[in-house]
Amino acid sequence: MAGAVIWGAAQAEVAPADVAWGEGNVIAESLSGTPGNAGEGAKIYAEKSLGNCVACHVVSNSDADFQGNVGPSLDGAGSRWTEEQLRAIVADAKHVFPDSVMPSFYKTSGYVRPGEGFTGKPAQEPLKPLLNAQQIEDVVAYLATQKE
Ligand code: HEC
């Protein structure tokens, strides 16, 4: 299971299965123990191979070429939501908005695991989350800068 705990100097990284949910759909604790970097978060927002948030969202001050409108505009997201709420939405949107089409970016369980080729056996490798703990923190830091 991808539950391996990586011990950092100060604080341990929280594995997807160990994320602690607080009252009112929040994740209070940093997932990585390292403050997010908003500049990195902006890249993750726009990068197809990473967050690809632009497939569904628009941020007016982003320099991403093509942005989407499946989800709401994220302008002012840092005013509408606390950091703890933003962390929860990005880590597991389906927990916050049931039936959402937004992917759960920090979750590895509760899915039908893809089988291994034609063997019918379950895949051997543990599934990785779509974004790692630091990438989640970076995106949260980026969203927190979007004030109205
Ligand atoms: C497949 C489409 C899709 C993708 C990809 C996606 N989202 Fe969303 N997102 C949505 C939808 C739809 C909602 C509205 C909530 C709902 O589903 O009811 C939403 C809601 C949100 C909200 C709350 C909006 C508000 O009211 O301010 C935030 C914040 C957010 N998304 C951030 C992100 C970030 C960051 C990423 C990339 C890491 C991302 N989303 C990727 C579809 C998407």
Side-chain angles (χ1 to χ4, degrees), residues 52-53 56-57 71-72 74 80-81 89 97 100-103 105 139:
N52 198 20
C53 317
C56 298
H57 291 287
L74 298 182
R80 278 193 298 283
W81 307 97
I89 293 169
F97 310 115
S100 183
V101 297
M102 178 163 157
F105 286 94
V139 170

Side-chain angles (χ1 to χ4, degrees), residues 17-21 39 65 91 100 102 112 140 145:
D18 299 332
V19 170
W21 287 83
D65 288 341
S100 183
M102 178 163 157
V112 177
V140 168
T145 66

Side-chain angles (χ1 to χ4, degrees), residues 44-45 50-57 70-78 80-81 85-86 89-90 93 96-103 105 131 136 139-140 142-143:
I44 294 164
Y45 167 80
L50 293 169
N52 198 20
C53 317
V54 290
C56 298
H57 291 287
V70 173
S73 162
L74 298 182
D75 287 352
R80 278 193 298 283
W81 307 97
Q85 289 172 318
L86 289 170
I89 293 169
V90 179
V96 180
F97 310 115
D99 304 323
S100 183
V101 297
M102 178 163 157
F105 286 94
L131 294 177
I136 300 281
V139 170
V140 168
Y142 171 61
L143 294 175

